[in-house]
Amino acid sequence: MHFVEVAIQNVRGFSPTGRFPLKTGYLILKPPTADLLPLGNLALSLLFADGRGGDSSLVGSAGRSGKAALTFVGQDGMTYRILRELGGSGSLHRLNPATSQPELISTDVSEINQYLRGQAGLPPRTTFEQVYCLQLVMLPSRRPRKSLARAAAAAGAKASGATPSLAAATQVLPAEDVPAAEAKVKVLEKELVTAKAVDQLQFKVDELASLIFEADSKLKGGEGLKEAISQAEAAWRAAPSPESLGLPLDILTRVKRYPKAVARRDEALARLETDRDPELEDASLKVPPLTQNRYFWGGLGAGVLFMGLSVGLGIAAAQPMWRYLALINIPAFGTAALMALRYVDDLQHATRKGSKDNRKDARQKKILDEFELEDAPVRMAVKALNLENYTEIPGALEQKDLLGIRLGELQTQLEEFEASAEYQGAIRDGQELRAQQEELNAELSAKGTYVRDLREVERELSRLKESIALAKAPPVPVAAAPGQTPAPVDPLEDPSPLVLSQAADVLTLDMLSVQALLKDRCVQYLTALTDKRYQGVEWDREGNAFLLAPNSRIPVGELSPKDIDLYYLALRLTVVEKTCARVKRPFLLDDVLTGVDEAKLPLVARMLKHLGTLTQVLHVTAHPGFGQMSDGTVNV
């Protein structure tokens, strides 16, 4: 998970308006002014909205609306964009990878929170705040000391007879301001009652939202079937059919009888070839011309010769006997006539043979034409289906029927699922839970459009009671009298149990396993930050920490404010490093290094640079030294 872009309009600490791309690695965010840039609070308000308008405190100029949008890549690899009008409504969008266009997911606060937890992979708000956000107010030196917290809970009573420590007080009131402060305490106590009621209602709303989400998850059990039905229907529509390809409706019947048609054609052609007369096939269809017949010319020549002799000799000899030679013309001319008649007979025979062959050609053409009626649709189907053989046609066309059967089965399964008692019960439960949710939301609206967070009211009330107690307390002597023990200084609160418990939740380990996992790396960070003044760290079963110095074992709460802040920084860097090795989430670091020695800042920059190789680190600072070590700088 990492942030891609933040867009703002009239947000406190940022430029008046702008869109700022955020790349991975170690990134420096430079604020436009010296004011504190509330990057962590902005991210928490966008990702974990309470729906009560608590983020209106981030609005910059009064009288104008503020808007903010955060684009990030979730644990599921999808890109999300959450847009919110500070103090008002918001919406969650998801980028469709197919169309590269944003799609609206929800505008309901509860649904958005549930979706970000379940789908995008966000942790609970407390985990994100205590593990992946480091703000100035989180430093142990900025928190009340233990005895003052108890004194605030006891309404200003002294703890163990000791005077409250002035060193830990946020403000010491003048005596004339005590009545006004006590009046404000009463107002805050009333606000605390309202905040507790709203917090209880919000808890119930969140619980109902979780139950609604579970009911919706049961209803979404059929989404897979619906998607499968949609895909099956699309495949069924796309499957080839005789109608869609322009083929005869009986194409399958034609394919089945196609082998018989081929066999019938081959048999008819073979029978046609068998019916031909071999002798006639071998005989030449050409008849020799009459002029090449020597008997014709011999007979004709003999007839003319004897006719000429009979006439010539008869005239010359003046004897009639020579005229009888003309009688020999009869057999001669008869022979020539016989040859001519035989030639005519051969011509007639050749003509009859040619006619018979024409009839056989016509029969062959008829056979092939009849086969073409069966062959043409089959060839058309092979070409339309892009197949290699006609035997594949039934399988290709029967696919549509198989897909239709599958579609019917899926529709039956969906009908059975929607008719099941579990599905119907989820519908009823969802309706009832939504009705209860609307009632609770109406109660929340009746409490006011904006109610401060319960913990914020408690902190302000605690600080105010501490100030009143300090104002009423007798003055603390500057120095103890000789022989007297100085008044004890109350220890600071140990931040280790809270951080370790959150790390255990992220890593899904028990407290002792988390301590074993973090110990060596935390010692490395600690010794580097404290110039080896502390060589080790130990935690008890509850997570309370003890630092090991030469010849001493010091509880963390008894350290100086500077050292406890360095230990807290080392612990937080260790937790981020170990948790991001399992699940990557951005680490948001406000400008908390203002009290660190300048000589150590390059060392801290190298530590953050190393974290940037594991996950996205967004460091808000105007110090020029960090920019040289970072992977990039963004002026916000």
Side-chain angles (χ1 to χ4, degrees):
M1 175 182 179
H2 64 274
F3 293 165
V4 177
E5 182 187 71
V6 59
I8 53 89
Q9 179 180 341
N10 191 30
V11 177
R12 175 170 52 85
F14 288 84
S15 300
T17 182
R19 300 169 66 96
F20 309 107
L22 306 174
K23 62 181 183 180
T24 56
Y26 176 38
L27 197 64
I28 296 296
L29 277 67
K30 287 188 175 182
T33 63
D35 296 338
L36 182 65
L37 185 71
L39 178 64
N41 290 337
L42 180 63
L44 291 171
S45 299
L46 292 175
L47 298 175
F48 305 94
D50 56 6
R52 299 197 300 266
D55 50 5
S56 60
S57 59
L58 297 173
V59 177
S61 302
R64 295 175 53 197
S65 62
K67 295 181 180 180
L70 179 65
T71 304
F72 65 96
V73 177
Q75 298 294 344
D76 56 356
M78 301 297 292
T79 301
Y80 298 91
R81 180 179 176 85
I82 184 166
L83 175 66
R84 183 165 299 281
E85 184 174 354
L86 301 180
S89 59
S91 60
L92 176 65
H93 302 262
R94 178 180 59 192
L95 185 67
N96 188 328
T99 61
S100 298
Q101 296 295 325
E103 297 177 347
L104 178 64
I105 295 178
S106 178
T107 57
D108 182 75
V109 174
S110 299
E111 291 182 0
I112 292 175
N113 291 338
Q114 290 293 335
Y115 191 90
L116 292 178
R117 286 283 303 277
Q119 191 69 24
L122 278 181
R125 178 190 173 103
T126 303
T127 301
F128 191 87
E129 184 176 8
Q130 297 297 328
V131 176
Y132 302 105
C133 292
L134 182 54
Q135 299 172 291
L136 191 63
V137 294
M138 294 180 178
L139 296 178
S141 62
R142 301 293 179 118
R143 300 176 185 178
R145 295 180 182 268
K146 288 184 178 180
S147 64
L148 290 182
R150 290 194 298 268
K158 294 180 181 180
S160 302
T163 302
S165 174
L166 288 173
T170 57
Q171 181 182 5
V172 180
L173 293 176
E176 60 271 14
D177 292 341
V178 170
E182 290 177 343
K184 188 175 181 180
V185 166
K186 295 180 180 179
V187 174
L188 288 175
E189 288 176 346
K190 292 181 180 179
E191 186 179 358
L192 182 63
V193 173
T194 304
K196 286 181 178 179
V198 170
D199 190 70
Q200 292 176 357
L201 288 175
Q202 187 62 45
F203 178 79
K204 293 179 180 179
V205 169
D206 294 340
E207 183 180 6
L208 286 176
S210 177
L211 295 175
I212 291 173
F213 183 78
E214 293 179 2
D216 291 341
S217 299
K218 294 179 180 179
L219 295 179
K220 290 180 180 178
E223 294 296 328
L225 280 174
K226 292 180 180 178
E227 182 66 23
I229 289 174
S230 177
Q231 295 177 358
E233 186 174 1
W236 177 79
R237 293 182 183 278
S241 64
E243 297 86 348
S244 63
L245 298 176
L247 300 174
L249 298 180
D250 61 342
I251 184 64
L252 292 178
T253 305
R254 290 174 181 266
V255 171
K256 289 180 181 178
R257 69 187 185 212
Y258 183 74
K260 294 182 179 180
V262 174
R264 189 166 58 250
R265 178 204 62 181
D266 295 341
E267 182 181 355
L269 292 176
R271 188 169 56 251
L272 184 63
E273 293 295 328
T274 305
D275 290 344
R276 291 181 180 269
D277 188 356
E279 295 181 358
L280 294 176
E281 289 294 329
D282 296 336
S284 175
L285 293 177
K286 294 184 179 180
V287 179
L290 186 60
T291 57
Q292 296 178 4
N293 193 327
R294 63 180 181 275
Y295 296 104
F296 171 75
W297 290 112
L300 185 62
V304 172
L305 176 64
F306 285 109
M307 182 179 289
L309 287 175
S310 64
V311 174
L313 290 176
I315 296 174
Q319 293 182 4
M321 186 177 295
W322 292 101
R323 295 178 180 176
Y324 292 105
L325 290 175
L327 295 176
I328 301 176
N329 294 338
I330 296 174
F333 283 121
T335 300
L338 180 63
M339 292 298 103
L341 289 174
R342 182 176 290 180
Y343 173 72
V344 172
D345 185 63
D346 288 344
L347 286 177
Q348 291 177 350
H349 181 71
T351 303
R352 287 194 302 270
K353 181 180 178 184
S355 301
K356 187 176 181 180
D357 285 344
N358 290 337
R359 289 195 301 270
K360 290 182 178 179
D361 291 341
R363 178 59 182 164
Q364 183 180 13
K365 184 176 183 301
K366 182 179 180 182
I367 292 171
L368 296 177
D369 289 342
E370 290 177 353
F371 176 73
E372 179 67 16
L373 295 176
E374 296 289 339
D375 183 58
V378 176
R379 284 189 289 105
M380 187 187 303
V382 171
K383 182 178 180 181
L385 295 171
N386 195 22
L387 304 176
E388 295 182 356
N389 196 291
Y390 77 94
T391 57
E392 301 175 5
I393 295 176
L397 292 179
E398 289 173 358
Q399 191 69 22
K400 190 176 186 71
D401 295 334
L402 296 177
L403 290 173
I405 294 173
R406 175 59 179 166
L407 178 61
E409 292 176 352
L410 291 174
Q411 290 174 343
T412 302
Q413 292 178 16
L414 181 61
E415 291 174 358
E416 292 176 353
F417 174 77
E418 292 180 347
S420 63
E422 182 180 3
Y423 184 85
Q424 297 297 327
I427 292 178
R428 291 191 298 270
D429 293 344
Q431 293 174 349
E432 294 175 358
L433 292 172
R434 283 187 172 84
Q436 296 177 17
Q437 189 182 43
E438 291 178 0
E439 294 178 359
L440 291 177
N441 287 332
E443 293 184 24
L444 283 174
S445 300
K447 295 291 184 180
T449 56
Y450 170 60
V451 178
R452 286 195 298 171
D453 184 73
L454 174 62
R455 291 174 292 276
E456 183 180 349
V457 178
E458 288 177 341
R459 285 194 294 269
E460 183 176 355
L461 183 61
S462 174
R463 288 193 296 269
L464 191 58
K465 287 183 176 181
E466 291 170 14
S467 300
I468 295 174
L470 290 172
K472 292 182 176 181
V476 180
V478 176
Q484 291 183 351
T485 303
V489 177
D490 299 318
L492 293 168
E493 182 181 358
D494 187 354
S496 305
L498 178 59
V499 177
L500 293 177
S501 64
Q502 295 299 326
D505 291 340
V506 175
L507 298 171
T508 62
L509 298 173
D510 57 74
M511 182 66 77
L512 296 180
S513 299
V514 169
Q515 294 174 7
L517 178 65
L518 303 180
K519 182 175 180 180
D520 292 341
R521 189 57 174 165
C522 184
V523 170
Q524 293 177 4
Y525 279 120
L526 180 64
T527 54
L529 290 173
T530 60
D531 297 328
K532 298 183 179 181
R533 285 185 285 108
Y534 302 99
Q535 288 84 32
V537 60
E538 294 179 354
W539 294 288
D540 59 17
R541 291 184 173 274
E542 288 74 25
N544 297 309
F546 301 88
L547 298 190
L548 304 180
N551 303 322
S552 62
R553 182 173 181 266
I554 307 172
V556 165
E558 297 180 4
L559 296 174
S560 65
K562 179 179 178 181
D563 285 350
I564 194 173
D565 285 347
L566 292 176
Y567 161 74
Y568 183 65
L569 178 62
L571 179 61
R572 291 295 304 274
L573 295 179
T574 304
V575 170
V576 171
E577 179 177 331
K578 296 300 182 181
T579 56
C580 288
R582 174 173 298 186
V583 53
K584 294 185 182 299
R585 294 190 177 102
F587 179 41
L588 311 182
L589 182 70
D590 286 349
D591 195 2
V592 299
L593 304 175
T594 54
V596 179
D597 295 339
E598 285 286 335
K600 288 189 174 63
L601 293 183
L603 174 64
V604 177
R606 289 195 296 271
M607 293 177 178
L608 296 176
K609 176 74 172 181
H610 168 69
L611 284 184
T613 62
L614 304 176
T615 187
Q616 185 182 42
V617 179
L618 303 179
H619 184 191
V620 178
T621 180
H623 196 286
F626 290 99
Q628 299 175 0
M629 295 292 297
S630 68
D631 297 320
T633 302
V634 179
N635 295 317
V636 295

